Amino acid sequence: LKKLLLLACARACMFVQGVSPEPKDDTEAMIIDLIESQIRSAVQHDGGNITFVKFEEGIVYVRLQGACTTCESSKTTLQMGVSNVLKFYVPDVQDVVDLTAQSQEENRCL
């Protein structure tokens, strides 16, 4: 139980600080680099933040933070901005999914 709690705390700290996990391969490294070097600054300009979570089977999973969690335009930003940039530079990317609602639900359970 103690190990599970420590793991949960570590993941929560990474989420709060906006730290991306270590990339598993070159594709993930490119995705993380794009998020951190191009996409994040645009999102932060409007008071939000974006964090890479994982890349599985062509889908990039991210978490939106700050102003993005309550902004009505965040879905448009995700699909028209984030998704388009990642698909343009990383051909393996098929879609981008926001896990923000899921992480907020998990935090309520703690």
Side-chain angles (χ1 to χ4, degrees), residues 5 31-32 37 39 41 56 64 91 94 98:
L5 288 174
I31 292 167
I32 291 169
S37 67
I39 297 168
S41 61
E56 286 182 350
L64 297 174
Q94 298 169 9
D98 177 21

Side-chain angles (χ1 to χ4, degrees), residues 24-76:
K24 294 186 288 188
D25 55 33
D26 290 343
T27 301
E28 269 195 12
M30 187 180 296
I31 292 167
I32 291 169
D33 182 58
L34 285 166
I35 289 173
E36 293 179 354
S37 67
Q38 294 184 28
I39 297 168
R40 182 174 287 152
S41 61
V43 173
Q44 286 176 335
H45 180 72
D46 291 329
N49 196 15
I50 184 169
T51 304
F52 170 82
V53 177
K54 63 182 176 179
F55 177 66
E56 286 182 350
E57 299 178 13
I59 301 174
V60 177
Y61 295 89
V62 298
R63 284 196 179 97
L64 297 174
Q65 300 167 300
C68 293
T69 59
T70 57
C71 178
E72 294 179 15
S73 300
S74 64
K75 288 183 182 175
T76 303

Side-chain angles (χ1 to χ4, degrees), residues 9-27:
C9 287
R11 291 181 76 207
C13 288
M14 286 178 65
F15 170 68
V16 169
Q17 295 173 3
V19 176
S20 298
E22 288 295 317
K24 294 186 288 188
D25 55 33
D26 290 343
T27 301

